[in-house]
Amino acid sequence: MFKFHDLRDRISKIAGICGMVISITVAFYLIFPLGQTQSKFAMLLVSFGIAIALSFITFKALLKSQR
């Protein structure tokens, strides 16, 4: 069974990743111009994919630097 502090740390890391993904997704969605060939949904998916990749790279680098 997890200790209380370990559980709080995991929850805060998950919340941090979710917050980072949401903010990066919104930023890229607003930055990228929408052309006539691109739909809003496709642009949202691309922004979401980029945000997930950047968030995981950032957290992996952060965890590696703390070791």
Side-chain angles (χ1 to χ4, degrees):
M1 186 167 199
F2 294 115
K3 294 181 183 177
F4 181 69
H5 295 291
D6 292 339
L7 185 61
R8 282 182 49 186
D9 288 342
R10 286 180 187 236
I11 290 172
S12 66
K13 285 180 185 177
I14 291 171
I17 289 174
C18 291
M20 188 181 294
V21 167
I22 290 169
S23 64
I24 293 172
T25 300
V26 170
F28 276 116
Y29 185 75
L30 294 175
I31 290 172
F32 287 148
L34 282 176
Q36 292 180 354
T37 59
Q38 299 166 334
S39 68
K40 288 184 180 181
F41 184 71
M43 205 62 209
L44 182 65
L45 286 179
V46 168
S47 299
F48 188 66
I50 292 170
I52 288 175
L54 284 175
S55 297
F56 279 114
I57 289 170
T58 302
F59 270 91
K60 288 286 185 179
L62 180 67
L63 290 175
K64 190 174 184 179
S65 69
Q66 288 179 353
R67 289 185 185 176

